[in-house]
Amino acid sequence: MRNFKTTIIALVCLAVAVAAFFTVKAYLKKNADDSGSSGSENVSTTSEPTEETRVDIFDFDTSKVVKIESQSEEYFSLYYADEKWNCSSHTELDVFDNSVESFIKTFESLSGNVIKDYDSLSDFEIADDSMYTTLVLDDGTTFSVRFGITDNTETYRYITVDGVEDTVYSIYNFTASDILLTRNLLVKLEALSFSDGYNPSYFVVKKNGELMMSAYGTFKAAASESEKDSITWAVKEPIEIAGESDDINNLVNSLKDVALSELYDGECSDLSQYGLDMPTIEYSIVYSDSSGNKESRSIALGHKTPDASKYYCIIDGVESSVYTIDASYIMIDITLEDYIDGKLFYDMYTDLKTVDIHFEGSDHTMKFVFGDNNLEERYFDDVFVHDEDSYQDENLDTPEDKFNHLLASLYLISITTVDTDAPAEKGELLIKVVYTRIDGTSVVVECYKRDDTTAYLYKDGEYFGGYMETAVILYGDFEDYGIKGSLDVLVDVMK
């Protein structure tokens, strides 16, 4: 009995389901009919393109195309002359030939599914004023496509071809987008393009319209297969100082692969609306190509877009064309101090004879003696500095280790902030270091108090163009390579 009741219930459920299916089917058909009669944005079709049913729509020699017209969001008219593509409808655009050639090939290779069974082209919203693309060959032959709506999945778009009667084609929607001209298709979306043999020699950075840095690069070719070509940079403005060559090279090279997002405004008449009248940052590069010819490239960034994901920018000073660039693609928050080598002395210790230190009212002398067989001896205040284990202290450092540690701390005297204005008067002398070379020449480094936390720097009596923080460099402990901490430890071990 239980099995019989279960069977009856199942049959009732099945009947209800079948009835519901036909009810829904009838409802969907009615809605589809109503939708078609009211001019909906898409239509349904059971004739989807497949490998078996798809046909090639065009067959012509792509090299014979001499004119293109396309109407979508904008109207574009291109013509081929002087071995390049030109835009007569937008003369301000510098057309990227490779993009146009790809566009033509995509158009010629167009394929789709033939639809013959339809009532009216209006079902596909195709009319004389529809979006279209026309290609003209050098013999006057034309090929035109007019675009309608998409199917209900938005996978396919319906088109007609001028000259082919009573026929609609369905093509992939993404292909339809590829054969409608747009600004972004016509221009090269690469921020800075460089010729072969790229070899930068001059680099300028401006921030908020003001010069941040100019630097000259010196190229050195690799002398052997194990070496690499190198570029050494020297900063010339706002101060003359050695550049951090690795960091500058990394910054310069990072600009080579930056991609633009889009051509946002191809007819800009007011840069201020994009913050480009006084750019947030501007990079300029002068370089030599493989033939030794000088070329230059620049990119300037203004305000961020409303969603803050991109910056507005112009390329090579062309003010009429405003692009956008992804905010993560380019360095913005940089300072001059990031790219200078602010050390006042960086000769190798092997060139030194003595280092005289005047600090906190006391004087000390570090002396080097270089003998035969690469023998090196060190003296501190005329006392030989041992390197034997018997002189190790609780830190397992020999006196020679501490001597070298102090020397390393002296090499850290360097600019932490550039300030091109020399002080009217020197403050209290905090430290003076005289580096005397084996050849008898010397370099004098002096630090004068600027305030409780910083000191102005002088080299050979001349203002060095900035100041340094004193807390760590001068007064830091041994572990941080502070001069005071390192000197105290060495003095203590040499007692």
Side-chain angles (χ1 to χ4, degrees):
M1 179 63 70
R2 180 180 301 171
N3 291 338
F4 177 74
K5 286 182 178 179
T6 301
T7 302
I8 293 298
I9 293 170
L11 289 173
V12 171
C13 291
L14 178 60
V16 172
V18 171
F21 170 78
F22 284 106
T23 300
V24 170
K25 181 178 181 182
Y27 174 77
L28 291 177
K29 183 177 186 302
K30 180 179 184 301
N31 279 334
D33 293 340
D34 293 343
S35 176
S37 63
S38 62
S40 65
E41 293 185 357
N42 51 47
V43 296
S44 61
T45 178
T46 58
S47 183
E48 294 182 352
T50 67
E51 292 299 326
E52 291 74 21
T53 63
R54 188 178 298 116
V55 298
D56 292 332
I57 298 176
F58 297 118
D59 183 17
F60 58 86
D61 186 348
T62 58
S63 67
K64 302 296 185 181
V65 178
V66 295
K67 185 176 180 181
I68 304 173
E69 289 188 1
S70 184
Q71 174 70 59
S72 54
E73 295 179 357
E74 291 183 86
Y75 169 77
F76 290 94
S77 178
L78 306 180
Y79 66 95
Y80 190 75
D82 300 325
E83 299 186 346
K84 71 180 298 293
W85 282 98
N86 308 272
C87 187
S88 57
S89 60
H90 299 71
T91 56
E92 79 281 357
L93 290 182
D94 184 12
V95 178
F96 184 39
D97 285 5
N98 288 349
S99 291
V100 178
E101 299 298 337
S102 297
F103 177 88
I104 294 171
K105 290 178 181 178
T106 301
F107 188 96
E108 190 277 333
S109 63
L110 194 64
S111 63
N113 197 50
V114 176
I115 302 173
K116 291 284 190 178
D117 186 15
Y118 63 90
D119 295 328
S120 171
L121 287 178
S122 63
D123 294 339
F124 305 96
E125 297 189 9
I126 300 176
D128 290 342
D129 60 352
S130 296
M131 296 186 300
Y132 72 91
T133 294
T134 298
L135 271 61
V136 182
L137 306 189
D138 56 6
D139 63 0
T141 304
T142 63
F143 299 91
S144 295
V145 168
R146 297 185 185 278
F147 298 84
I149 56 176
T150 64
D151 71 343
N152 53 10
T153 67
E154 296 189 358
T155 303
Y156 304 98
R157 183 173 290 276
Y158 301 104
I159 66 168
T160 59
V161 176
D162 285 8
V164 181
E165 301 295 333
D166 303 324
T167 302
V168 172
Y169 300 91
S170 60
I171 65 174
Y172 288 116
N173 196 22
F174 66 82
T175 302
S177 299
D178 289 342
I179 57 172
L180 280 167
L181 285 180
T182 63
R183 288 174 178 268
N184 285 337
L185 185 145
L186 289 175
V187 299
K188 188 174 185 180
L189 291 178
E190 185 177 85
L192 302 176
S193 58
F194 300 95
S195 302
D196 293 338
Y198 168 75
N199 180 11
S201 57
Y202 183 57
F203 183 50
V204 176
V205 183
K206 294 181 179 179
K207 296 189 74 173
N208 300 315
E210 300 291 333
L211 177 68
M212 190 196 89
M213 176 180 71
S214 69
Y216 286 90
T218 302
F219 176 78
K220 180 182 178 183
S224 65
E225 292 185 0
S226 61
E227 296 181 357
K228 294 183 179 179
D229 296 343
S230 62
I231 300 176
T232 302
W233 291 92
V235 174
K236 295 300 182 180
E237 295 180 277
I239 63 172
E240 291 195 30
I241 196 170
E244 286 286 3
S245 293
D246 288 345
D247 293 332
I248 295 179
N249 281 321
N250 288 338
L251 178 59
V252 170
N253 291 332
S254 72
L255 301 174
K256 293 173 61 178
D257 302 318
V258 174
L260 299 170
S261 301
E262 64 176 339
L263 176 60
Y264 187 85
D265 183 352
E267 298 179 344
C268 177
S269 59
D270 180 12
L271 290 177
S272 64
Q273 62 182 312
Y274 302 112
L276 288 164
D277 56 327
M278 188 175 292
T280 301
I281 196 162
E282 181 177 358
Y283 294 110
S284 301
I285 301 172
V286 175
Y287 71 100
S288 301
D289 62 15
S290 55
S291 300
N293 300 315
K294 294 287 187 180
E295 298 184 8
S296 63
R297 295 289 182 269
S298 68
I299 180 171
L301 278 64
H303 295 327
K304 282 188 174 182
T305 56
D307 64 359
S309 65
K310 299 178 178 65
Y311 284 95
Y312 299 112
C313 66
I314 55 174
I315 305 299
D316 294 338
V318 180
E319 298 181 354
S320 59
S321 297
V322 175
Y323 299 83
T324 58
I325 187 171
D326 192 286
S328 63
Y329 281 2
I330 198 162
M331 297 281 287
I332 301 293
D333 296 324
I334 64 174
T335 66
L336 174 59
E337 288 78 11
D338 296 329
Y339 298 98
I340 63 170
D341 182 352
K343 294 188 293 293
L344 278 75
F345 184 82
Y346 40 81
D347 289 19
M348 287 295 294
Y349 79 94
T350 51
D351 294 327
L352 292 176
K353 181 179 180 181
T354 59
V355 178
D356 294 296
I357 306 168
H358 174 78
F359 182 52
E360 292 191 328
S362 61
D363 296 294
H364 302 279
T365 299
M366 307 173 74
K367 183 179 179 180
F368 300 85
V369 177
F370 300 98
D372 297 333
N373 300 320
N374 296 321
L375 178 65
E376 298 179 9
E377 293 183 345
R378 291 159 175 75
Y379 293 82
F380 183 71
D381 293 343
D382 293 327
V383 177
F384 178 64
V385 180
H386 291 277
D387 63 352
E388 299 175 8
D389 289 344
S390 59
Y391 287 85
Q392 288 179 343
D393 65 5
E394 65 274 10
N395 295 320
L396 300 180
D397 288 323
T398 67
E400 185 179 270
D401 292 330
K402 290 179 169 55
F403 181 98
N404 295 337
H405 195 103
L406 172 60
L407 182 64
S409 72
L410 297 175
Y411 276 94
L412 296 180
I413 298 177
S414 60
I415 291 176
T416 53
T417 303
V418 173
D419 183 355
T420 57
D421 296 328
E425 296 182 3
K426 294 179 181 179
E428 173 190 355
L429 177 64
L430 300 181
I431 187 171
K432 178 179 180 180
V433 183
V434 180
Y435 302 86
T436 302
R437 303 184 183 97
I438 295 174
D439 64 7
T441 60
S442 63
V443 173
V444 179
V445 172
E446 296 169 301
C447 303
Y448 289 91
K449 184 175 181 178
R450 176 176 177 269
D451 54 34
D452 290 341
T453 60
T454 59
Y456 285 114
L457 301 180
Y458 286 76
K459 181 176 181 178
D460 292 333
E462 297 291 334
Y463 179 61
F464 198 64
Y467 54 87
M468 73 172 185
E469 297 176 357
T470 56
V472 174
I473 297 177
L474 283 188
Y475 304 114
D477 58 24
F478 177 81
E479 286 74 15
D480 290 331
Y481 284 87
I483 292 175
K484 177 175 173 55
S486 301
L487 180 60
D488 287 346
V489 168
L490 179 60
V491 169
D492 184 64
V493 77
M494 292 298 295
K495 289 179 179 179

